[in-house]
């Protein structure tokens, strides 16, 4: 994933993959998503990014799945 910010237009581009864009959909007047031919998300464009996305406070956190410990059971109880 890549995040690009264009200060001259206050636009952020979040790229999720390098697939070819087949269609762009307008979410609202400031947010657009690009989809590939299979409907998968390729990128998101955010216009007026400072107001829409609080860009100076960007962070990334990976959350690992919690795995429940296996309980041993006996067939004889």
């Amino acid at each position: 994933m890549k995040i690009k910010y264009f200060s001259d237009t206050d636009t952020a581009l979040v790229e999720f993959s390098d697939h070819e864009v087949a269609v762009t959909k307008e979410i609202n007047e400031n947010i657009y998503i690009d989809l590939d031919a299979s409907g998968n998300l390729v990128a998101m464009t955010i216009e007026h990014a400072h107001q829409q996305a609080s860009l100076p406070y960007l962070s990334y956190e990976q959350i690992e799945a919690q795995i429940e410990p296996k309980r041993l059971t006996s067939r004889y109880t």
Side-chain angles (χ1 to χ4, degrees):
M1 181 168 77
K2 297 177 191 174
I3 300 174
K4 298 176 183 176
Y5 176 68
F6 303 90
S7 60
D8 58 333
T9 59
D10 191 23
T11 301
L13 175 63
V14 183
E15 297 176 318
F16 297 98
S17 75
D18 59 356
H19 294 170
E20 186 175 332
V21 174
V23 64
T24 299
K25 294 189 176 188
E26 181 178 340
I27 302 303
N28 64 36
E29 64 185 27
N30 296 309
I31 300 174
Y32 302 87
I33 58 171
D34 297 326
L35 306 173
D36 66 12
S38 298
N40 298 310
L41 183 61
V42 175
M44 178 172 53
T45 301
I46 305 168
E47 295 179 354
H48 307 287
H50 275 96
Q51 295 171 338
Q52 300 292 318
S54 301
L55 278 185
Y57 305 103
L58 177 69
S59 67
Y60 170 81
E61 183 176 356
Q62 183 170 334
I63 308 296
E64 299 297 330
Q66 297 292 325
I67 300 173
E68 292 289 325
K70 290 186 178 181
R71 296 187 177 148
L72 298 176
T73 58
S74 170
R75 297 186 320 187
Y76 305 106
T77 57

